[in-house]
């Protein structure tokens, strides 16, 4: 019995090791080039937003930078950030609100550049609801997932638009259940990303989906981006710089050819949406890549001023209680250059 308990206790550690992480070893490419084995954990199961990483693998962009990239599905930004900080994955792809909150709680990670610089956060509903402004959701049932980044910023969106939290009815459900709740009529709308749930819901229901985007109604902030552990930044700086360069290059290539990027996702996941949904998702993602300060620059280029604006927004929203300087959350030294 004692031996069984000991083995059971070891299983989580063995599973984490199997997932890959810091110092993951090397492989050799077909041309004989030595490549660093690198794991990237996404914020969720693969969807259109992630297409650039698959295109970068297919076109050997990461290989060119000496990287043998393994892409892993995630289970939410918070878990991805925790795994990255713990060294269970080399890099993560996660939402900035979750990163700021995690850093304030002592998780040893830093952003290497935010790519979705206009938030895709939105209230999503069928066009037949005829909602054109935030006042239109008063009294409506909104499907949310308690504790996620959207649920934390939604009160700020309401306040920004003259609404109180009790002006809407919040229905808590798991992430996968939000779409079903709206399609079945149990909820009037859901909180989600315009680059994620909307196209899927539209295809499943055969009805047009409309959005109240936070960014179009007075509340914009940084969203998803690349991150790594502070340990990696200190001990594997060259690898980090190569990963950042390859990621920016892959995103630039995908921006130029969205269809090729989506095609590169074939077989990425059993839960993969249809090709049309993937394309719709990625085309929306492309509209989120820059702020006024970074227009015309490479994907992933950030500015300290944009970071500060995001930090200030999340202090007001209560996502973080104490504001640090941008350098506490973001390593500017490895950011892609414009």
């Amino acid at each position: 019995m004692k031996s069984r308990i000991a083995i059971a206790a070891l299983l989580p550690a063995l599973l984490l090791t199997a997932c890959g992480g810091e110092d993951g070893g090397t492989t050799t490419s077909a041309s004989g080039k030595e490549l660093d084995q690198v794991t990237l954990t996404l914020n969720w199961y693969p969807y259109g937003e992630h297409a650039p990483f698959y295109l970068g693998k297919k076109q050997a962009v990461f290989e060119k930078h000496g990287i043998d990239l393994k892409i892993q599905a995630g289970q939410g930004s918070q878990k991805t950030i925790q795994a990255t900080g713990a060294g269970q994955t080399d890099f993560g792809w996660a939402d900035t609100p979750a990163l700021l909150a995690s850093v304030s709680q002592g998780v040893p990670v830093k952003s290497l550049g935010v790519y979705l610089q206009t938030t895709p956060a939105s209230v999503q509903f069928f066009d037949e609801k005829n909602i054109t402004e935030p006042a239109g959701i008063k009294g409506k049932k909104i499907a949310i997932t308690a504790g996620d980044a959207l649920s934390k910023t939604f009160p700020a969106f309401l306040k920004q638009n003259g609404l109180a939290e009790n002006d809407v009815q919040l229905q808590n459900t798991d992430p996968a259940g939000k779409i079903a709740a709206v399609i079945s009529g149990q909820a009037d709308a859901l909180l989600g990303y315009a680059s994620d749930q909307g196209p899927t819901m539209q295809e499943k229901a055969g009805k047009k989906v409309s959005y109240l985007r936070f960014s179009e109604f007075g509340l914009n902030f940084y969203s998803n981006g690349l991150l790594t552990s502070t340990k990696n930044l200190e001990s594997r700086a060259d690898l980090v710089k190569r990963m950042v360069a390859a990621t920016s290059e892959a995103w630039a290539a995908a921006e130029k050819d969205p269809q090729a990027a989506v095609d590169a996702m074939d077989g990425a996941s059993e839960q993969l949406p249809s090709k049309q949904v993937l394309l719709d998702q990625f085309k929306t993602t492309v509209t989120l890549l820059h702020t006024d300060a970074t227009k015309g620059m490479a994907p992933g280029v950030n500015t300290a001023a944009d970071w500060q604006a995001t930090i200030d927004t999340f202090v007001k929203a209560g996502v973080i209680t104490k504001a640090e300087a941008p350098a506490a959350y973001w390593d500017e030294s490895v950011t892609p250059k414009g």
Side-chain angles (χ1 to χ4, degrees):
M1 178 64 73
K2 288 182 179 179
S3 63
R4 289 181 181 176
I5 293 172
I7 291 171
L10 283 171
L11 281 175
L14 291 172
L15 288 171
L16 292 177
T17 302
C19 290
E22 294 167 351
D23 302 320
T26 60
T27 58
T28 304
S29 69
S31 63
K33 183 177 181 180
E34 188 175 271
L35 307 175
D36 287 300
Q37 290 180 310
V38 169
T39 53
L40 169 71
T41 300
L42 304 174
N43 56 314
W44 196 243
Y45 294 100
Y47 58 93
E49 179 186 307
H50 306 130
F53 294 109
Y54 293 91
L55 183 67
K57 276 181 65 72
K58 185 174 182 179
Q59 295 187 346
V61 173
F62 290 97
E63 183 177 316
K64 183 181 77 172
H65 290 273
I67 292 171
D68 178 8
L69 185 66
K70 178 182 179 182
I71 305 170
Q72 301 177 157
Q75 293 182 317
S77 287
Q78 185 173 351
K79 289 185 178 180
T80 293
I81 292 166
Q82 291 171 343
T84 306
Q88 297 162 10
T89 182
D90 298 302
F91 298 92
W93 181 257
D95 205 19
T96 301
L99 182 137
L100 266 63
S102 296
V103 170
S104 69
Q105 294 164 6
V107 180
V109 294
K110 278 195 175 182
S111 172
L112 303 174
V114 174
Y115 285 70
L116 275 61
Q117 298 173 16
T118 298
T119 178
S122 58
V123 184
Q124 307 179 19
F125 42 85
F126 290 123
D127 195 54
E128 63 193 29
K129 293 290 184 181
N130 198 30
I131 299 171
T132 59
E133 57 185 16
I137 64 173
K138 190 171 183 178
K140 296 292 192 292
K141 298 176 182 178
I142 313 293
I144 69 164
T145 299
D148 69 3
L150 284 162
S151 68
K152 293 178 181 178
T153 53
F154 187 50
F157 171 77
L158 293 173
K159 184 177 180 180
Q160 179 71 29
N161 291 281
L163 295 170
E165 291 184 53
N166 59 9
D167 282 334
V168 296
Q169 301 176 49
L170 300 181
Q171 292 190 345
N172 183 37
T173 184
D174 61 272
K178 291 192 290 188
I179 291 176
V182 176
I183 291 176
S184 67
Q186 294 177 353
D188 299 298
L190 63 80
L191 281 185
Y193 285 167
S195 54
D196 184 2
Q197 292 93 342
T200 298
M201 185 162 68
Q202 184 165 283
E203 182 181 69
K204 286 186 174 182
K207 296 191 290 186
K208 185 179 179 182
V209 171
S210 293
Y211 309 84
L212 294 179
R213 299 194 187 200
F214 287 17
S215 62
E216 294 177 355
F217 290 95
L219 190 67
N220 188 41
F221 46 83
Y222 272 174
S223 186
N224 288 350
L226 188 68
L227 67 136
T228 195
S229 65
T230 54
K231 180 181 177 181
N232 264 342
L233 281 164
E234 293 166 0
S235 63
R236 308 173 79 193
D238 177 67
L239 172 62
V240 172
K241 289 178 181 178
R242 286 186 281 122
M243 179 65 177
V244 170
T247 299
S248 182
E249 187 176 329
W251 274 78
E255 186 177 8
K256 291 178 181 177
D257 194 344
Q259 187 65 60
V262 166
D263 289 343
M265 296 189 75
D266 284 350
S269 168
E270 291 182 359
Q271 294 90 357
L272 201 67
S274 72
K275 279 283 184 69
Q276 186 57 54
V277 168
L278 288 171
L279 188 60
D280 290 344
Q281 289 174 331
F282 185 62
K283 283 184 174 179
T284 299
T285 299
V286 169
T287 69
L288 310 172
L289 295 184
H290 303 286
T291 64
D292 289 341
T294 61
K295 283 180 180 177
M297 297 183 181
V301 174
N302 295 175
T303 69
D306 283 339
W307 265 99
Q308 190 61 58
T310 288
I311 293 166
D312 292 343
T313 294
F314 291 137
V315 170
K316 291 178 182 177
V319 175
I320 53 176
T321 56
K322 180 183 177 182
E324 303 283 353
Y329 312 102
W330 165 58
D331 192 315
E332 185 176 4
S333 69
V334 298
T335 293
K337 304 305 177 187

